[in-house]
Amino acid sequence: MSRRRAQLTPWRVAGGVADENTNPDAVVRETGWVFNNEIGDDLTLGDFVMSGNKEVNAYMRAFGMNDLDTNSLSILEIGSGIGRMTSRFTRRFASVVAADVDAAFLERCRETVARHGEVEKLRTLHVADGHSINLPEESVDVVFSYITLQHCAHADALRLTSEALRVVKPGGTVMLNYRTWVPADVMLQPAGAAVRALWKNRAIGPRVARQRWATRLGWQANRVGVAEVMALVAASGRGCREVLVFRNPSRRNLLSSSPAVVGGTRPEERPLPRANKSHWWLILRLS
Ligand SMILES: C[S@@+](CC[C@H](N)C(=O)[O-])C[C@H]1O[C@@H](n2cnc3c(N)ncnc32)[C@H](O)[C@@H]1O
C-alpha cells in the first residue's frame, strides 16, 4: 500500500472481514461500526439498514429532495460501503450507482440491497484509484456522499468533488458531506497521524485497524474547507441555481473566505441541527 493510501487500511481490513463471512448479521456485528459507529452482540443487517433508511429520509427532507419526483431520477452514491443507505436509495430513485473504493464492500452492498431494497435498480462501481468515477459526464441526476470524503486523502476528496461536478446533469443536484476543523483537532490530528503510521506497519497494522478506538482516530484523514470547495465549484464552469452550505447551528460564517459568487449565484449558509459540529454539507442545484 502506498504511503499516501494508509487511510484506506480500515476499509480494506473491514472489507476482508466482510469477504470472509457469509452471515450478513455477523458482518454487521464485526464491521458495522465503521459505517454507523454502532456496536452490539445482537445487531442485525435489518437494524443496520434501518439506521441508513432514517438518515436517507432525514437528509432528503432537509435538502429539499422531497419536493422532487425522485422516482424518475438516477443517483450516484460515492462511498456506499455495504449498502447501509443504498437500499433506501433504491426505493426512492429510478436507478442507483453505488461507488466505493473497496470491491468487497460493493459485493456486500449488492447483497444488502437484494435483501432490503430493489436490486434490479442497482449498479456498483469500483473507485479503484480512490478518485475517479467511471461514468460519462452529465450522466446522473443526483450525486450524494456521506461520511466518506473525510476518510480520503485530501487530494482525493477534492478530485471526487470535481468528479461529482463532472457527472451531474444540468438541472441536477449534488449533496456532499465534508469534515472541517474543530478546536479538538489540536489533539485529534496528531493522534490520527500516529495511528495511520501504525497502519503502515505490515506486522501490526491490520490488527490495529480492527481496533475501534484506533480506527476512529486514524480514519479522520482530512479536513476540507468551504472556501477550497467553493473555488473548485467556481472553476468547474458549472452554472448553479442554488449553492448552499448546511452546518450545525453552533457554527457560523463558514462562507467568510469564499468567493461572493459561485456558479453564477450567491452561496448561502443554512443551519442543520442534525449535522455534526465538525461536518458541513455542500448542496448544489445546477442550472
Ligand atoms: C464511514 S463509511 C460510510 C459509508 C456510507 N456512506 C454509510 O453512511 O454507511 C466510508 C466509506 O467510504 C469508502 N471510501 C473511503 N475512501 C474512498 C474513496 N477514496 N473513494 C470511494 N469510497 C471511499 C469506504 O470504503 C467506506 O465504505
Side-chain angles (χ1 to χ4, degrees):
M1 191 182 304
S2 73
R3 276 186 77 71
R4 199 171 152 259
R5 304 237 183 263
Q7 74 283 351
L8 298 181
T9 306
W11 315 117
R12 297 235 164 93
V13 171
V17 173
D19 217 17
E20 286 160 14
N21 216 320
T22 51
N23 176 337
D25 295 336
V27 169
V28 164
R29 287 193 283 271
E30 289 227 17
T31 71
W33 58 269
V34 306
F35 304 104
N36 67 352
N37 200 24
E38 283 181 21
I39 49 172
D41 291 340
D42 45 7
L43 287 178
T44 65
L45 182 66
D47 301 329
F48 182 71
V49 167
M50 190 61 72
S51 80
N53 290 351
K54 285 185 187 156
E55 289 201 273
V56 167
N57 290 344
Y59 286 120
M60 293 298 108
R61 187 169 55 246
F63 301 148
M65 297 303 285
N66 289 354
D67 300 340
L68 303 179
D69 175 17
T70 57
N71 283 313
S72 62
L73 302 179
S74 55
I75 183 168
L76 161 68
E77 182 189 10
I78 302 177
S80 61
I82 62 174
R84 190 177 71 91
M85 303 177 97
T86 321
S87 299
R88 188 68 188 142
F89 285 133
T90 63
R91 296 214 182 270
R92 293 190 59 144
F93 286 83
S95 63
V96 179
V97 178
D100 203 282
V101 74
D102 191 282
F105 284 170
L106 291 173
E107 279 178 42
R108 284 289 169 182
C109 178
R110 179 166 289 283
E111 286 173 21
T112 302
V113 175
R115 283 167 194 257
H116 293 279
E118 298 179 25
V119 75
E120 64 285 354
K121 294 181 179 175
L122 178 71
R123 175 181 159 198
T124 56
L125 182 67
H126 189 203
V127 187
D129 62 3
H131 55 251
S132 304
I133 302 289
N134 189 13
L135 290 178
E137 58 190 55
E138 301 187 1
S139 58
V140 292
D141 295 296
V142 176
V143 183
F144 178 91
S145 184
Y146 182 49
I147 46 175
T148 291
L149 300 174
Q150 61 186 277
H151 298 305
C152 309
H154 184 261
D156 285 347
L158 295 183
R159 287 178 77 166
L160 287 168
T161 303
S162 296
E163 286 290 77
L165 287 160
R166 182 182 67 77
V167 302
V168 71
K169 289 179 186 172
T173 307
V174 173
M175 296 173 271
L176 304 177
N177 169 262
Y178 302 89
R179 185 184 175 97
T180 188
W181 294 268
V182 290
D185 283 343
V186 175
M187 305 282 289
L188 292 176
Q189 284 193 308
V195 170
R196 288 194 293 281
L198 285 179
W199 287 344
K200 286 181 203 154
N201 182 306
R202 279 171 200 271
I204 59 164
R207 252 180 302 141
V208 175
R210 284 193 186 207
Q211 304 300 315
R212 185 160 164 261
W213 64 268
T215 295
R216 284 175 58 71
L217 281 174
W219 69 6
Q220 307 296 352
N222 80 66
R223 276 72 177 154
V224 178
V226 173
E228 58 189 327
V229 172
M230 288 300 162
L232 213 60
V233 178
S236 75
R238 299 298 304 260
C240 297
R241 288 180 287 122
E242 210 168 22
V243 177
L244 303 175
V245 167
F246 281 85
R247 41 81 180 152
N248 185 276
S250 67
R251 303 294 303 249
R252 293 273 190 284
N253 303 325
L254 290 185
L255 276 167
S256 57
S257 38
S258 297
V261 174
V262 173
T265 188
R266 190 171 284 277
E268 284 175 35
E269 242 177 272
R270 302 256 168 99
L272 178 65
R274 69 177 300 116
N276 186 294
K277 284 183 189 165
S278 64
H279 289 188
W280 64 277
W281 284 88
L282 171 72
I283 308 299
L284 300 178
R285 285 184 226 292
L286 280 95
S287 305

